[in-house]
Amino acid sequence: MIDQLQRLLEQRVQQCVSDRQAECSKIERKKECLANRHGEIVKAKATGHITDKMNNGDHTDIYYNVHFQYLIKQEKRYYIEEEVEKRKAHFYKSTLLTDEEIFETPAFEIPEIKIDRHENLERISYHYDRRKAVQYAERWWNDYNPQYHKFDVDCTNYISQCLHAGGAPMRGFSNRSSGWWYNGNSWSYSWSVAHSLRWYLGTSKVGLRAGEVSDPGELQLGDIICYDFEGDGRFNHTTIVTAKDAYGMPLVNAHTTNSRMRYWSYEDSSAYTDNIQYKFFTIIDDD
């Protein structure tokens, strides 16, 4: 069984760096997106790690993670993009039947969000250190800080940690539907829920706050992108800008599908749809 999975990974790596199309549509979308940006994958590597194995008579399910690394050339610039896929392979009598990516999405229920009465809130002065926010994003892109709770859908929790590492002040404890805060075993919805953070960033006038821009090229390192994959008004993913490509467009880090220096548009994501909507937020401080 392991040999069959190994061969699959080798085929996907070969697909990354050749003109031959194979069964992985995700890689083809990545290559197409890169070609539109005058880029290409010049080298790829994949490392698998089994996380669980479940037997049921003649049937076996193997859950495993694959760490992909892509050396990308764009114009005269090279950079490494990384991603960790969670996958499930189903075998019948040691014969591989299916192998698919597991994409974890948040529940559709959206918590109630209360709009703050800003005139009654004390102003919190702060400096947002973009360098520290990016350093934190790089340190923990494929790991989990034990000082914080880990979520199955961890993208917004990770982004909130990055913002806080950059100096963004918490406020609102202990009302979960108001403010932006984390305290031990409790946290605001805006800390951990993508849709709630999108609304917080779009409305907050005190403490952590942001301005919305229309062009992702306007974003700086440490800024935030929110994603509504289905275009139905319910935002379900959040990323942080950690670098720029050769044309000044954002490369982002994220959790859930742990990613590093991924192109901001997510066209190669299994969650991508033609109806996707984005919100681009640049963090505002007192400098």
Side-chain angles (χ1 to χ4, degrees):
M1 289 189 285
I2 301 303
D3 290 342
Q4 294 177 69
L5 294 179
Q6 183 64 38
R7 285 195 296 272
L8 275 181
L9 292 184
E10 290 172 356
Q11 291 172 6
R12 294 185 69 185
V13 167
Q14 183 61 31
Q15 182 185 354
C16 289
V17 294
S18 69
D19 294 331
R20 183 188 67 187
Q21 292 193 1
E23 294 183 358
C24 184
S25 60
K26 181 176 180 178
I27 290 177
E28 291 306 312
R29 292 197 304 271
K30 181 182 289 291
K31 290 163 64 176
E32 181 180 358
C33 179
L34 274 168
N36 292 335
R37 298 162 50 214
H38 305 286
E40 62 177 331
I41 302 172
V42 296
K43 189 175 181 180
K45 178 181 178 181
T47 305
H49 172 69
I50 294 175
T51 58
D52 199 5
K53 182 177 180 180
M54 300 181 64
N55 294 309
N56 183 12
D58 291 332
H59 296 268
T60 302
D61 289 328
I62 292 181
Y63 296 84
Y64 67 107
N65 294 339
V66 185
H67 183 178
F68 287 97
Q69 295 174 293
Y70 310 98
L71 177 61
I72 293 174
K73 179 184 178 183
Q74 188 187 35
E75 299 292 353
K76 296 181 179 180
R77 180 186 173 189
Y78 291 84
Y79 67 91
I80 295 176
E81 176 185 339
E82 300 183 72
E83 178 186 357
V84 177
E85 283 186 1
K86 298 177 182 179
R87 302 190 66 85
K88 174 186 175 182
H90 180 70
F91 293 84
Y92 175 71
K93 292 185 176 180
S94 299
T95 299
L96 179 63
L97 298 182
T98 60
D99 177 69
E100 57 189 5
E101 182 179 2
I102 301 171
F103 189 80
E104 295 167 321
T105 56
F108 288 126
E109 181 180 358
I110 297 175
E112 178 186 0
I113 304 168
K114 294 183 179 179
I115 304 300
D116 293 319
R117 300 291 184 180
H118 300 296
E119 64 271 16
N120 296 326
L121 295 175
E122 179 182 358
R123 181 172 179 81
I124 305 172
S125 178
Y126 75 101
H127 163 68
Y128 183 53
D129 191 325
R130 296 176 179 276
R131 180 181 60 85
K132 288 184 178 180
V134 170
Q135 286 177 339
Y136 188 96
E138 288 285 270
R139 166 62 182 86
W140 297 103
W141 80 268
N142 194 30
D143 203 354
Y144 301 87
N145 188 337
Q147 294 182 7
Y148 295 95
H149 182 79
K150 176 186 174 183
F151 297 83
D152 290 336
V153 180
D154 198 64
C155 61
T156 305
N157 175 45
Y158 165 70
I159 297 305
S160 287
Q161 293 174 36
C162 296
L163 289 167
H164 187 57
M170 300 182 192
R171 67 170 177 85
F173 178 79
S174 60
N175 186 343
R176 297 197 67 194
S177 61
S178 181
W180 175 79
W181 54 270
Y182 184 99
N183 185 22
N185 293 321
S186 186
W187 47 84
S188 65
Y189 294 129
S190 59
W191 182 276
S192 62
V193 179
H195 188 76
S196 299
L197 181 61
R198 170 262 177 273
W199 280 105
Y200 179 86
L201 293 177
T203 60
S204 177
K205 304 299 181 184
V206 178
L208 170 61
R209 56 197 187 277
E212 185 177 350
V213 298
S214 59
D215 186 343
E218 298 179 57
L219 297 175
Q220 305 176 59
L221 302 190
D223 284 339
I224 305 301
I225 304 178
C226 301
Y227 300 74
D228 171 8
F229 286 118
E230 297 82 12
D232 60 2
R234 296 178 290 194
F235 283 77
N236 38 29
H237 190 50
T238 321
T239 68
I240 183 169
V241 179
T242 54
K244 294 290 189 78
D245 73 0
Y247 296 101
M249 299 303 288
L251 303 174
V252 299
N253 286 23
H255 264 195
T256 304
T257 297
N258 295 353
S259 304
R260 175 179 178 269
M261 294 186 71
R262 188 172 187 171
Y263 191 63
W264 69 270
S265 65
Y266 263 60
E267 293 170 60
D268 62 338
S269 170
S270 299
Y272 180 87
T273 75
D274 291 337
N275 297 321
I276 193 169
Q277 297 291 321
Y278 309 93
K279 289 287 183 179
F280 309 110
F281 289 107
T282 184
I283 304 303
I284 300 171
D285 62 11
D286 295 287
D287 283 357

